[in-house]
Amino acid sequence: MSSVNIGVLISGSGSNLQSIIDKTKVEDINGQVKLVISNNSDAYGLVRAEKENIKGIFLNPADYEDNSQYEEDLIELLKAEDIGLIVLAGYMRILSPKFVKEFKNKIINIHPSLIPSFSGDGFYGMRVHKSALEYGVKVSGATVHFVDEGTDTGPIILQETVKIYDGDTPETLQKRVLEVEHRLLPEAVRLFCQDKLNIKGRIVKGANDEKSID
Ligand code: GRF
């Protein structure tokens, strides 16, 4: 598989973006971040892209009549860079079914819980961790999944648990989950770029290839 051009969509600080960039610096994952697009001009992730000499674009939703015109330009920008993998890293816009179809099984997302828990419409940012603590779960974690037409509903690639402590607050839990995210997302990107992932319906194989214990 030829080297994959990676496009990362962000809306915020871009620490997950940074984790991917850092991974490509220390390991040949057969992919490079070529483009960062934000829907938020204040996203620090755009500063990170500039510092890394990666093309960063603020695509302003206010410049568009409606979402479909916004997405038309988004698709054009991604195709112009021959993007083969789109990573949603804290991206706060919902992508339309048309967009998802355009890049079928080439969009991955990082979510700060063990999907399907604390996921779906309205579950993002601190609300995810607050809900986990209020529910009283004993483990939370992070999930990397392919994006389908739903919200946080696509086939799961990787998950890792994070133990919850009695004294946890949403902030302390978020910090530990983010540390897991920063390992899990770049690993999922590597597996994709090295063509190790195989999707059949909801099941993704190639990420957990330790033999099952009979
Ligand atoms: C992460 O917690 C991610 O799970 C969620 O949004 C946050 C993005 O953080 N989707 P950053 O912008 O990558 O620092």
Side-chain angles (χ1 to χ4, degrees):
M1 186 173 183
S2 56
S3 182
V4 178
N5 292 336
I6 303 164
V8 183
L9 306 187
I10 61 164
S11 300
S13 66
S15 69
N16 276 292
L17 161 68
Q18 191 66 55
S19 68
I20 299 167
I21 295 168
D22 293 347
K23 178 122 173 160
T24 61
K25 287 180 181 173
V26 297
E27 190 184 335
D28 175 8
I29 66 165
N30 194 48
Q32 282 295 331
V33 179
K34 291 284 187 206
L35 180 61
V36 174
I37 299 178
S38 175
N39 62 312
N40 169 12
S41 60
D42 297 335
Y44 186 69
L46 289 173
V47 174
R48 294 180 193 270
E50 194 181 355
K51 285 183 176 178
E52 300 283 356
N53 296 317
I54 294 170
K55 187 172 184 177
I57 296 172
F58 163 49
L59 194 61
N60 186 356
D63 293 344
Y64 294 83
E65 293 279 301
D66 57 34
N67 185 49
S68 61
Q69 288 176 30
Y70 185 86
E71 285 193 348
E72 257 171 51
D73 277 7
L74 185 57
I75 291 171
E76 209 174 293
L77 289 167
L78 292 162
K79 296 229 178 226
E81 299 293 332
D82 191 22
I83 298 298
L85 170 63
I86 297 171
V87 180
L88 310 185
Y91 189 59
M92 298 311 281
R93 283 177 73 87
I94 299 296
L95 297 167
S96 71
K98 178 177 175 292
F99 184 99
V100 171
K101 219 178 264 114
E102 186 77 30
F103 295 94
K104 186 163 176 49
N105 291 337
K106 294 185 185 315
I107 313 173
I108 65 176
N109 181 47
I110 174 87
H111 183 76
S113 76
L114 295 175
I115 291 176
S117 297
F118 315 113
S119 64
D121 294 339
F123 280 101
Y124 56 85
M126 290 312 264
R127 179 168 173 218
V128 174
H129 307 293
K130 196 165 171 292
S131 304
L133 292 173
E134 284 167 358
Y135 194 96
V137 293
K138 299 306 173 192
V139 287
S140 189
T143 303
V144 187
H145 64 95
F146 280 107
V147 172
D148 65 6
E149 283 75 4
T151 304
D152 303 331
T153 53
I156 290 171
I157 301 167
L158 285 171
Q159 292 188 298
E160 188 173 311
T161 59
V162 170
K163 195 171 163 50
I164 289 182
Y165 300 120
D166 293 350
D168 264 326
T169 64
E171 291 72 20
T172 58
L173 178 56
Q174 181 201 36
K175 187 170 174 298
R176 286 206 309 284
V177 171
L178 204 50
E179 285 162 14
V180 168
E181 293 177 45
H182 292 163
R183 276 188 290 102
L184 222 54
L185 183 58
E187 177 58 7
V189 170
R190 177 187 72 79
L191 290 166
F192 181 97
C193 292
Q194 294 179 352
D195 201 21
K196 294 198 187 305
L197 298 176
N198 183 304
I199 317 174
K200 278 203 177 50
R202 279 211 56 83
I203 308 302
V204 178
K205 291 200 172 167
N208 291 344
D209 55 2
E210 282 85 44
K211 299 283 169 282
S212 60
I213 300 159
D214 301 326

